[in-house]
Amino acid sequence: MAARALDVDLLARELGNWRTSSRSGPAYHGLADAIRLLLIDGRLPVGARLPSERVLADTLRVSRTTVTAAYAQLREDGYLTARRGARSLTALPAAPVA
């Protein structure tokens, strides 16, 4: 079954004023935090394809580097999975083994 692609304009609306969520840190932290929150609270479905870095950067009017860094942070934290040549998919991190 193919992953559902998220509409970039809908994602931008859901992100709202993400720039204020991380005032003291880099912009990519605020963007990563905002996407993570949307995923945790169920406004982004698990397994959905995020827009490409370039398209999201253009829509949010930020540099592609900001989106690339945010996606990288989310992958590192387990909230995105990616394959070379394919868009990133939303995910929830595996629970730590006790």
Side-chain angles (χ1 to χ4, degrees), residues 4-5 7 11 14 24-25 30 32-33 38-39 43-44 50 55-56 58 64 68 71 75 78 81-82 88 94 96 98:
R4 178 177 160 222
D7 177 74
L11 178 58
E14 288 291 331
S24 61
D33 288 346
L38 290 175
L39 183 57
R43 289 184 280 166
L44 288 183
L50 289 179
V55 168
L56 185 58
D58 288 345
R64 185 171 171 206
T68 299
Y71 279 15
R75 277 192 298 278
T81 59
S88 295

Side-chain angles (χ1 to χ4, degrees), residues 6 15 40 60 81 86 92 98:
L6 294 173
L15 286 169
I40 289 170
L60 297 177
T81 59
L92 291 175

